[in-house]
Amino acid sequence: MKTKKVSAADRIPEKTGRKKWSVLFLESLLKEAKEREAESEKARPAVDGESWIRPGRDTFEHSEDPEELWCESYEDIMGVVRMVGKWKANILYQIANAILRDYHEKKLDEDGVGELFGLCCQKCKDTGGGTGRKTEPQITETVLEFFLRANARMSVFSMERAGKRLTARCGLNWSGTTYYDAWYFYRCAQMHRRLFVVAGRIAAELGEKVSSPEELEQRTQFAAVGGLTFHGVFGWVQQKDNYPVNQYGLKNSGIEPPHHFVYLYRNHYSEAERPCVQFLETLMREQTACAQRKELWRHYTIQDGREYHNGMSYLLEGSLADEQDEKMYEAALLFLQNFRLYRVDGCVEFLYTAYEKEWG
């Protein structure tokens, strides 16, 4: 019999006050993580501290939490497997992902995440759990690193799920599809800022400072799988899911998108898919429409059997001279040229951009 997956937040009484609720939530997560770890240790013998890897086999089990596992060679992928094994055995890793998953599923608000992050830092200082560090500033930054990673992962995965639902409704498969919505980028950035503010406040109480985002990104243990940023994880997922990998992702992950920017690209398009692609365009235009914004919509499709080039969007070849608002369109194209694109047979491109209207 299948059981419904329930978050820790769902088990906290609704009438419980926020502070009490946060403590109960964290305690519940800690208890669940310890129980899972104990069961795992009983079920399988440890191999270099990575109990979920089966010795003497070329295959491995992959949990329902979609952690990234991809490399081009056997030696490299086994290195990633070992890293993921260490992360998943870490209680702090599990807690951070559980909290940020609930945030992105709208079961927790931003204030709730901030409080839980602070409580998690305090708990780790009291117990040393999951950090492997000794000094309080190091513990705070380690907790911050896990929370930033979880936020970036959940933000990108939420965007991916939105794109997959969109194409599935139209009867199209997801293979070879790139979907990007700037709303998820800025929501991720907002939570990143909140986490740094809370971490900075904790460090200031000790007379210390938190490292900058660039410094944390440079030395993070998650560098091999996209790091701590939205664009880093997005690029990793694009390369993990597509081939050849050097034709996917972003050329410069430090460039920010326009605030209202939605882009969908498919690296193939056949005549048989025409009705589905037309329905996809209709759905996207309905989902992005907003009376309070000045909007611009562009699309381009090229069917199989025709000549095409790789590496650049066809929309970039459009002229700005005929646009009613060159500035808005130009900003979108400047970000669009940052995408790495590859065509298998034909292609589909949908681009939406907008800015808020000025009301007199």
Side-chain angles (χ1 to χ4, degrees):
M1 183 178 70
K2 292 185 177 180
T3 58
K4 183 181 178 182
K5 185 178 180 181
V6 181
S7 72
D10 292 332
R11 287 189 285 275
I12 305 302
E14 293 182 3
K15 295 182 180 180
T16 305
R18 174 176 290 280
K19 193 68 176 178
K20 181 71 172 176
W21 181 90
S22 297
V23 173
L24 288 171
F25 184 23
L26 185 57
E27 292 293 344
S28 177
L29 289 172
L30 282 167
K31 182 180 178 182
E32 287 184 2
K34 289 178 180 178
E35 289 174 351
R36 283 197 299 270
E37 189 173 14
E39 288 299 319
S40 177
E41 290 298 325
K42 290 179 182 178
R44 306 182 184 119
V47 179
D48 295 329
E50 298 156 7
S51 60
W52 66 290
I53 300 177
R54 295 179 184 273
R57 295 281 296 274
D58 287 339
T59 59
F60 56 86
E61 291 187 352
H62 185 22
S63 79
E64 63 181 9
D65 186 16
E67 183 54 85
E68 303 86 344
L69 294 170
W70 169 88
C71 283
E72 289 189 309
S73 70
Y74 176 82
E75 292 78 11
D76 289 341
I77 198 170
M78 289 311 296
V80 176
V81 167
R82 291 187 181 94
M83 285 190 295
V84 175
K86 291 177 182 178
W87 300 334
K88 286 185 175 297
N90 191 317
I91 291 176
L92 180 56
Y93 176 90
Q94 298 176 35
I95 289 173
N97 277 276
I99 291 173
L100 270 302
R101 183 184 300 110
D102 273 12
Y103 170 70
H104 287 283
E105 291 178 358
K106 299 182 179 179
K107 297 175 182 177
L108 262 178
D109 60 15
E110 190 175 318
D111 291 337
V113 175
E115 287 185 5
L116 287 167
F117 171 73
L119 287 166
C120 198
C121 287
Q122 186 59 54
K123 201 75 176 178
C124 287
K125 289 173 186 177
D126 294 341
T127 65
T131 62
R133 307 294 179 91
K134 294 182 179 179
T135 68
E136 290 194 4
Q138 287 178 323
I139 289 174
T140 299
E141 286 201 353
T142 301
V143 177
L144 177 61
E145 180 186 9
F146 275 96
F147 271 71
L148 293 174
R149 171 64 185 181
N151 183 44
R153 282 188 66 230
M154 296 303 169
S155 297
V156 172
F157 290 157
S158 295
M159 184 174 72
E160 288 270 297
R161 282 194 295 269
K164 288 178 180 179
R165 285 195 297 266
L166 195 61
T167 53
R169 285 185 62 186
C170 302
L172 296 168
N173 63 58
W174 177 250
S175 176
T177 302
T178 293
Y179 181 75
Y180 186 99
D181 187 338
W183 183 85
Y184 294 93
F185 171 86
Y186 285 106
R187 190 165 190 257
C188 177
Q190 183 173 321
M191 177 53 70
H192 266 40
R193 286 193 294 270
R194 169 58 69 92
L195 293 170
F196 269 100
V197 167
V198 178
R201 190 181 304 132
I202 294 171
E205 293 174 357
L206 304 170
E208 303 284 348
K209 289 184 178 179
V210 174
S211 298
S212 68
E214 293 75 20
E215 290 171 330
L216 284 178
E217 180 68 22
Q218 190 173 18
R219 62 173 186 263
T220 180
Q221 61 184 300
F222 300 106
V225 288
L228 308 177
T229 67
F230 182 91
H231 281 163
V233 177
F234 172 75
W236 167 256
V237 171
Q238 284 287 297
Q239 294 175 355
K240 178 175 68 73
D241 293 343
N242 295 288
Y243 181 85
V245 297
N246 62 347
Q247 296 293 334
Y248 290 89
L250 297 173
K251 299 172 186 174
N252 184 346
S253 61
I255 298 178
E256 295 187 354
H259 274 82
H260 302 291
F261 177 96
V262 181
Y263 178 60
L264 187 142
Y265 168 81
R266 295 183 80 238
N267 66 11
H268 56 285
Y269 173 45
S270 65
E271 176 62 28
E273 293 177 317
R274 180 188 293 271
C276 299
V277 170
Q278 290 175 338
F279 184 38
L280 177 61
E281 179 176 3
T282 299
L283 282 182
M284 287 190 66
R285 298 193 72 162
E286 289 176 352
Q287 290 188 12
T288 53
C290 179
Q292 282 71 46
R293 295 195 293 260
K294 185 171 182 179
E295 301 172 328
L296 189 66
W297 175 269
R298 289 291 177 268
H299 64 90
Y300 192 97
T301 56
I302 179 171
Q303 295 179 19
D304 56 349
R306 292 178 57 185
E307 293 183 2
Y308 54 87
H309 57 254
N310 284 319
M312 188 176 77
S313 161
Y314 278 97
L315 292 172
L316 292 173
E317 298 179 348
S319 171
L320 299 177
D322 297 330
E323 300 303 326
Q324 295 181 353
D325 194 312
E326 294 183 13
K327 187 176 181 181
M328 179 171 62
Y329 190 44
E330 185 177 9
L333 293 188
L334 283 173
F335 185 69
L336 183 60
Q337 70 182 8
N338 196 30
F339 283 82
R340 298 183 187 275
L341 304 174
Y342 182 79
R343 288 164 187 79
V344 175
D345 210 357
C347 74
V348 175
E349 288 189 80
F350 294 137
L351 172 65
Y352 168 88
T353 187
Y355 66 80
E356 306 296 334
K357 290 182 178 179
E358 295 181 3
W359 301 99

